[in-house]
Amino acid sequence: MTLMQSATEMHEELVHEHSAHNYHPLPVVVVEGTGAWVTDVEGRHYLDCLAGYSALNFGHRHPELVAAAHRQLDRLTLTSRAFGNDQLGPFCAELSALVGKQRVLPMNTGAEAVESGLKVARKWGYEVKGVREDRARIIVAAGGFHGRTISIVGFSTDPDARGGFGPFTPGFDVVPYGDLDALAAAVTPDTVAVLVEPVQGEAGVVVPPADYLAGVRAICDAARVLFVADEVQSGLGRTGHVLATRGAGTDADVYLLGKALGGGILPLSAVVADDEVLGVLRPGQHGSTFGGNPLACAVGRAVLGLLADGGPHGVLAAARRLGAVLQARLAELVGHGVVAVRGAGLWAGVDVDPRLGSGRAVSEALARRGVLVKDTHGSTVRFSPPLVVTEDEIGFAVDALARSLAELAGR
Ligand SMILES: *Cc1c(COP(=O)(O)O)cnc(C)c1O
């Protein structure tokens, strides 16, 4: 440490010296957040257009969510599932009602929801579909992102995600995303599930062809295979719908939720499905010390309360209306430093002209202009502001992008 160090550099150095180097964050050290805005250790303000990879769909410290957390913090925080708690039942009932499925399996992180969904699908395959022992196969899509556990990275097509972590869990088949013929061809009598994201988030907000999810549904129905939708990032309002799959006019058998379910306050994830599927789990066969804890359930109930307001002033309507503004404003930049824009709702992947700079360089330029985004896959930056963002704030973010691209172009 030297006297010349800024507060940002001092904090970065501590992290660099003492934490694992599994991230390469932008040079911004945040100390406070309210709504769509955060303040850093130097007192600079930023519009948060990443929103914790959609974990902060309702913004930083949404008053109703913080109040729910405080109320529960003063009553009871953890029981383990060895005993009951008075928040678990209402949380499961309210989530199953919102999703329209019979049962909820509460977990903590998104990866745990995915792992749990895979376990349940295999067991359903053996007990309900009648697949022979240890033969179950699950089809996944190339380019997908489902978390960081060994099983999950084992079927990842990202060399960084899987390299050096083998040997991997067998039983997965990878097909191109958006390709129904390839999916149909990969199905065998041992296939128990198809796991896909309705929109591939980490891949750069990749929206599949319009008929894709309905096609997945049809293939699953014809072969008696579970359609497992990983809505950890796409769900709970991001696309303007509770579930992106439903927004696309179809329905999955199993929904995996996480990120925004915990209101940006704590980790809370869930597997949501009908009794035929989740009913395969009996006592002792799956669990989690923190899964279904009363503090997380109380916050989750407040999140569900915000989502249940499907009216014109609710968060879903806001995401649809503001999403259209965001997509239209970003589309104007195509040909002006932007090669392509993809998106759904308040969620956009922007491919910048690689000649202007990497996605990282664009993200750094945006941060200097007070807008936080994160690059992905080389020259893509992703915009996923909280659903409480305003139209003016979207304008501020897109203007900052236009100026950053002009700056990188030397104009
Ligand atoms: C983030 C994410 C996960 C993993 O969630 P964690 O809470 O980081 O474990 C799984 N699936 C999708 C689609 C995600 O975006």
Side-chain angles (χ1 to χ4, degrees):
M1 213 185 116
T2 74
L3 285 174
M4 299 304 289
Q5 266 186 327
S6 68
T8 301
E9 285 163 346
M10 193 189 81
H11 284 278
E12 284 182 319
E13 186 176 302
L14 266 181
V15 172
H16 188 81
E17 289 300 310
H18 300 289
S19 85
H21 290 182
N22 55 330
Y23 279 91
H24 179 35
L26 293 175
V28 175
V29 177
V30 176
V31 292
E32 206 245 89
T34 308
W37 291 84
V38 297
T39 306
D40 79 359
V41 74
E42 323 269 356
R44 290 181 294 232
H45 301 292
Y46 303 85
L47 182 64
D48 183 358
C49 286
L50 180 66
Y53 300 91
S54 290
L56 289 155
N57 272 2
F58 311 99
H60 293 267
R61 298 188 303 117
H62 188 290
E64 286 179 39
L65 305 184
V66 169
H70 276 296
R71 276 195 306 274
Q72 190 59 37
L73 207 45
D74 288 335
R75 287 208 303 130
L76 179 74
T77 55
L78 186 71
T79 54
S80 86
R81 294 291 302 275
F83 318 113
N85 75 71
D86 69 349
Q87 296 300 306
L88 177 65
F91 168 70
C92 293
E94 289 157 19
L95 180 54
S96 68
L98 187 72
V99 170
K101 300 274 181 201
Q102 291 162 335
R103 291 192 187 278
V104 170
L105 169 64
M107 300 295 289
N108 310 284
T109 66
E112 280 181 310
V114 174
E115 284 279 346
S116 305
L118 298 174
K119 285 176 70 177
V120 166
R122 282 182 169 185
K123 206 154 190 293
W124 173 89
Y126 301 126
E127 293 187 4
V128 181
K129 183 172 175 174
V131 172
R132 270 200 289 148
E133 192 181 335
D134 288 347
R135 297 281 292 264
R137 302 200 66 82
I138 293 172
I139 300 174
V140 301
F145 180 84
H146 301 281
R148 299 293 194 171
T149 64
I150 296 257
S151 293
I152 293 171
V153 300
F155 58 75
S156 169
T157 52
D158 175 353
D160 277 340
R162 55 185 283 122
F165 298 119
F168 296 120
T169 308
F172 296 94
D173 299 302
V174 186
V175 298
Y177 187 61
D179 184 340
L180 290 171
D181 293 336
L183 176 60
V187 174
T188 74
D190 291 333
T191 304
V192 296
V194 174
L195 168 69
V196 287
E197 295 161 89
V199 173
Q200 287 190 329
E202 298 308 301
V205 194
V206 175
V207 182
D211 64 346
Y212 181 62
L213 297 174
V216 172
R217 175 74 274 166
I219 289 167
C220 288
D221 283 342
R224 198 162 188 222
V225 166
L226 296 177
F227 178 177
V228 183
D230 183 348
E231 296 243 16
V232 169
Q233 196 167 163
S234 61
L236 308 181
R238 179 48 59 193
T239 68
H241 303 273
V242 171
L243 298 162
T245 309
R246 296 264 175 77
T250 189
D251 190 24
D253 299 299
V254 179
Y255 287 105
L256 309 176
L257 300 173
K259 292 200 167 105
L261 193 56
I265 297 177
L266 36 69
L268 173 60
S269 66
V271 180
V272 188
D274 278 337
D275 191 44
E276 179 192 296
V277 181
L278 274 178
V280 301
L281 293 180
R282 283 173 287 279
Q285 296 177 346
H286 190 65
S288 161
T289 303
F290 288 93
N293 73 76
L295 182 58
C297 287
V299 173
R301 293 180 67 193
V303 165
L304 300 178
L306 293 178
L307 287 166
D309 180 359
H313 304 294
V315 286
L316 299 177
R320 286 198 287 266
R321 185 174 60 81
L322 296 168
V325 173
L326 176 68
Q327 308 293 346
R329 291 291 317 270
L330 288 172
E332 289 169 12
L333 298 183
V334 174
H336 302 276
V338 168
V339 177
V341 178
R342 294 170 301 275
L346 209 42
W347 200 16
V350 178
D351 294 340
V352 300
D353 184 341
R355 290 170 305 182
L356 298 187
S358 61
R360 172 86 188 183
V362 175
S363 301
E364 286 174 355
L366 273 167
R368 287 194 293 272
R369 293 176 184 278
V371 176
L372 296 183
V373 297
K374 185 74 178 75
D375 54 297
T376 178
H377 296 284
S379 54
T380 301
V381 288
R382 167 220 338 240
F383 285 78
S384 55
L387 313 184
V388 297
V389 74
T390 66
E391 194 167 332
D392 284 349
E393 288 164 346
I394 289 172
F396 171 72
V398 178
D399 288 346
L401 175 62
R403 295 210 177 89
S404 299
L405 293 170
E407 175 191 303
L408 289 165
R411 272 181 273 131

mmCIF file of all heavy atoms in Angstrom, residues 85-106:
data_model
loop_
_atom_site.group_PDB
_atom_site.id
_atom_site.type_symbol
_atom_site.label_atom_id
_atom_site.label_comp_id
_atom_site.label_asym_id
_atom_site.label_seq_id
_atom_site.Cartn_x
_atom_site.Cartn_y
_atom_site.Cartn_z
ATOM 1 N N ASN A 85 -41.130 -24.174 9.982
ATOM 2 C CA ASN A 85 -41.162 -22.742 10.302
ATOM 3 C C ASN A 85 -42.371 -22.150 9.617
ATOM 4 O O ASN A 85 -42.866 -22.706 8.621
ATOM 5 C CB ASN A 85 -39.845 -22.050 9.910
ATOM 6 C CG ASN A 85 -39.703 -21.843 8.414
ATOM 7 O OD1 ASN A 85 -40.399 -21.011 7.827
ATOM 8 N ND2 ASN A 85 -38.828 -22.609 7.781
ATOM 9 N N ASP A 86 -42.862 -21.044 10.138
ATOM 10 C CA ASP A 86 -44.155 -20.531 9.675
ATOM 11 C C ASP A 86 -44.084 -19.775 8.348
ATOM 12 O O ASP A 86 -45.112 -19.296 7.872
ATOM 13 C CB ASP A 86 -44.814 -19.671 10.758
ATOM 14 C CG ASP A 86 -44.078 -18.357 10.990
ATOM 15 O OD1 ASP A 86 -42.944 -18.194 10.469
ATOM 16 O OD2 ASP A 86 -44.622 -17.500 11.700
ATOM 17 N N GLN A 87 -42.899 -19.640 7.745
ATOM 18 C CA GLN A 87 -42.792 -18.959 6.451
ATOM 19 C C GLN A 87 -42.736 -19.942 5.282
ATOM 20 O O GLN A 87 -43.055 -19.584 4.141
ATOM 21 C CB GLN A 87 -41.531 -18.069 6.424
ATOM 22 C CG GLN A 87 -41.575 -16.927 7.425
ATOM 23 C CD GLN A 87 -42.755 -16.006 7.178
ATOM 24 O OE1 GLN A 87 -42.950 -15.492 6.082
ATOM 25 N NE2 GLN A 87 -43.574 -15.811 8.208
ATOM 26 N N LEU A 88 -42.296 -21.172 5.543
ATOM 27 C CA LEU A 88 -42.078 -22.139 4.464
ATOM 28 C C LEU A 88 -43.369 -22.499 3.721
ATOM 29 O O LEU A 88 -43.413 -22.461 2.492
ATOM 30 C CB LEU A 88 -41.419 -23.404 5.033
ATOM 31 C CG LEU A 88 -41.197 -24.543 4.032
ATOM 32 C CD1 LEU A 88 -40.214 -24.130 2.959
ATOM 33 C CD2 LEU A 88 -40.691 -25.794 4.765
ATOM 34 N N GLY A 89 -44.401 -22.825 4.478
ATOM 35 C CA GLY A 89 -45.660 -23.238 3.849
ATOM 36 C C GLY A 89 -46.249 -22.136 2.991
ATOM 37 O O GLY A 89 -46.548 -22.353 1.799
ATOM 38 N N PRO A 90 -46.409 -20.917 3.562
ATOM 39 C CA PRO A 90 -46.950 -19.825 2.743
ATOM 40 C C PRO A 90 -46.080 -19.526 1.524
ATOM 41 O O PRO A 90 -46.605 -19.279 0.428
ATOM 42 C CB PRO A 90 -46.973 -18.638 3.716
ATOM 43 C CG PRO A 90 -47.086 -19.265 5.073
ATOM 44 C CD PRO A 90 -46.309 -20.554 4.977
ATOM 45 N N PHE A 91 -44.751 -19.569 1.670
ATOM 46 C CA PHE A 91 -43.877 -19.308 0.521
ATOM 47 C C PHE A 91 -44.128 -20.333 -0.586
ATOM 48 O O PHE A 91 -44.315 -19.972 -1.760
ATOM 49 C CB PHE A 91 -42.401 -19.327 0.949
ATOM 50 C CG PHE A 91 -41.445 -19.344 -0.216
ATOM 51 C CD1 PHE A 91 -41.291 -18.222 -1.021
ATOM 52 C CD2 PHE A 91 -40.725 -20.497 -0.524
ATOM 53 C CE1 PHE A 91 -40.424 -18.243 -2.126
ATOM 54 C CE2 PHE A 91 -39.858 -20.528 -1.612
ATOM 55 C CZ PHE A 91 -39.711 -19.397 -2.409
ATOM 56 N N CYS A 92 -44.141 -21.608 -0.223
ATOM 57 C CA CYS A 92 -44.348 -22.651 -1.240
ATOM 58 C C CYS A 92 -45.736 -22.527 -1.866
ATOM 59 O O CYS A 92 -45.887 -22.678 -3.085
ATOM 60 C CB CYS A 92 -44.152 -24.039 -0.634
ATOM 61 S SG CYS A 92 -42.446 -24.367 -0.139
ATOM 62 N N ALA A 93 -46.738 -22.248 -1.047
ATOM 63 C CA ALA A 93 -48.103 -22.118 -1.573
ATOM 64 C C ALA A 93 -48.184 -20.935 -2.533
ATOM 65 O O ALA A 93 -48.774 -21.033 -3.613
ATOM 66 C CB ALA A 93 -49.087 -21.941 -0.417
ATOM 67 N N GLU A 94 -47.575 -19.814 -2.150
ATOM 68 C CA GLU A 94 -47.672 -18.610 -2.988
ATOM 69 C C GLU A 94 -46.862 -18.762 -4.273
ATOM 70 O O GLU A 94 -47.291 -18.313 -5.343
ATOM 71 C CB GLU A 94 -47.220 -17.385 -2.177
ATOM 72 C CG GLU A 94 -48.235 -17.003 -1.096
ATOM 73 C CD GLU A 94 -47.654 -16.191 0.061
ATOM 74 O OE1 GLU A 94 -46.563 -15.611 -0.104
ATOM 75 O OE2 GLU A 94 -48.299 -16.159 1.130
ATOM 76 N N LEU A 95 -45.703 -19.413 -4.183
ATOM 77 C CA LEU A 95 -44.907 -19.613 -5.405
ATOM 78 C C LEU A 95 -45.585 -20.616 -6.328
ATOM 79 O O LEU A 95 -45.637 -20.411 -7.549
ATOM 80 C CB LEU A 95 -43.484 -20.068 -5.052
ATOM 81 C CG LEU A 95 -42.556 -20.305 -6.242
ATOM 82 C CD1 LEU A 95 -42.476 -19.087 -7.158
ATOM 83 C CD2 LEU A 95 -41.139 -20.693 -5.771
ATOM 84 N N SER A 96 -46.131 -21.682 -5.771
ATOM 85 C CA SER A 96 -46.787 -22.653 -6.642
ATOM 86 C C SER A 96 -48.019 -22.033 -7.294
ATOM 87 O O SER A 96 -48.304 -22.294 -8.454
ATOM 88 C CB SER A 96 -47.086 -23.964 -5.918
ATOM 89 O OG SER A 96 -48.068 -23.775 -4.955
ATOM 90 N N ALA A 97 -48.707 -21.146 -6.571
ATOM 91 C CA ALA A 97 -49.868 -20.470 -7.168
ATOM 92 C C ALA A 97 -49.425 -19.542 -8.299
ATOM 93 O O ALA A 97 -50.034 -19.517 -9.373
ATOM 94 C CB ALA A 97 -50.631 -19.685 -6.101
ATOM 95 N N LEU A 98 -48.347 -18.802 -8.081
ATOM 96 C CA LEU A 98 -47.891 -17.852 -9.102
ATOM 97 C C LEU A 98 -47.445 -18.590 -10.364
ATOM 98 O O LEU A 98 -47.703 -18.157 -11.483
ATOM 99 C CB LEU A 98 -46.733 -17.000 -8.550
ATOM 100 C CG LEU A 98 -46.268 -15.849 -9.449
ATOM 101 C CD1 LEU A 98 -47.305 -14.729 -9.462
ATOM 102 C CD2 LEU A 98 -44.919 -15.299 -8.990
ATOM 103 N N VAL A 99 -46.770 -19.725 -10.177
ATOM 104 C CA VAL A 99 -46.240 -20.479 -11.316
ATOM 105 C C VAL A 99 -47.315 -21.411 -11.907
ATOM 106 O O VAL A 99 -47.250 -21.759 -13.086
ATOM 107 C CB VAL A 99 -44.973 -21.268 -10.886
ATOM 108 C CG1 VAL A 99 -44.526 -22.246 -11.948
ATOM 109 C CG2 VAL A 99 -43.843 -20.289 -10.559
ATOM 110 N N GLY A 100 -48.274 -21.792 -11.073
ATOM 111 C CA GLY A 100 -49.299 -22.702 -11.572
ATOM 112 C C GLY A 100 -48.822 -24.142 -11.630
ATOM 113 O O GLY A 100 -49.168 -24.898 -12.547
ATOM 114 N N LYS A 101 -48.001 -24.531 -10.670
ATOM 115 C CA LYS A 101 -47.569 -25.927 -10.512
ATOM 116 C C LYS A 101 -47.822 -26.313 -9.062
ATOM 117 O O LYS A 101 -47.890 -25.439 -8.182
ATOM 118 C CB LYS A 101 -46.083 -26.088 -10.832
ATOM 119 C CG LYS A 101 -45.689 -25.689 -12.246
ATOM 120 C CD LYS A 101 -45.878 -26.821 -13.234
ATOM 121 C CE LYS A 101 -45.440 -26.388 -14.619
ATOM 122 N NZ LYS A 101 -46.054 -27.222 -15.667
ATOM 123 N N GLN A 102 -47.869 -27.630 -8.799
ATOM 124 C CA GLN A 102 -48.344 -28.062 -7.487
ATOM 125 C C GLN A 102 -47.321 -27.965 -6.353
ATOM 126 O O GLN A 102 -47.681 -27.766 -5.207
ATOM 127 C CB GLN A 102 -48.849 -29.510 -7.585
ATOM 128 C CG GLN A 102 -50.117 -29.613 -8.409
ATOM 129 C CD GLN A 102 -50.387 -31.015 -8.888
ATOM 130 O OE1 GLN A 102 -49.479 -31.842 -9.038
ATOM 131 N NE2 GLN A 102 -51.663 -31.305 -9.142
ATOM 132 N N ARG A 103 -46.039 -28.149 -6.680
ATOM 133 C CA ARG A 103 -45.065 -28.248 -5.577
ATOM 134 C C ARG A 103 -43.818 -27.403 -5.801
ATOM 135 O O ARG A 103 -43.439 -27.139 -6.941
ATOM 136 C CB ARG A 103 -44.635 -29.707 -5.377
ATOM 137 C CG ARG A 103 -45.734 -30.558 -4.840
ATOM 138 C CD ARG A 103 -45.245 -31.916 -4.365
ATOM 139 N NE ARG A 103 -46.404 -32.711 -4.025
ATOM 140 C CZ ARG A 103 -47.039 -32.618 -2.860
ATOM 141 N NH1 ARG A 103 -46.586 -31.831 -1.905
ATOM 142 N NH2 ARG A 103 -48.123 -33.334 -2.634
ATOM 143 N N VAL A 104 -43.186 -27.050 -4.667
ATOM 144 C CA VAL A 104 -41.972 -26.233 -4.675
ATOM 145 C C VAL A 104 -40.906 -26.949 -3.842
ATOM 146 O O VAL A 104 -41.187 -27.419 -2.736
ATOM 147 C CB VAL A 104 -42.254 -24.837 -4.070
ATOM 148 C CG1 VAL A 104 -40.967 -24.066 -3.834
ATOM 149 C CG2 VAL A 104 -43.210 -24.058 -4.962
ATOM 150 N N LEU A 105 -39.703 -27.014 -4.382
ATOM 151 C CA LEU A 105 -38.548 -27.496 -3.628
ATOM 152 C C LEU A 105 -37.625 -26.299 -3.414
ATOM 153 O O LEU A 105 -36.980 -25.839 -4.366
ATOM 154 C CB LEU A 105 -37.822 -28.593 -4.408
ATOM 155 C CG LEU A 105 -36.436 -29.029 -3.899
ATOM 156 C CD1 LEU A 105 -36.526 -29.660 -2.524
ATOM 157 C CD2 LEU A 105 -35.805 -30.003 -4.891
ATOM 158 N N PRO A 106 -37.565 -25.745 -2.203
ATOM 159 C CA PRO A 106 -36.738 -24.555 -1.991
ATOM 160 C C PRO A 106 -35.269 -24.923 -1.789
ATOM 161 O O PRO A 106 -34.950 -25.849 -1.031
ATOM 162 C CB PRO A 106 -37.321 -23.924 -0.723
ATOM 163 C CG PRO A 106 -37.956 -25.042 0.012
ATOM 164 C CD PRO A 106 -38.313 -26.114 -0.980
#
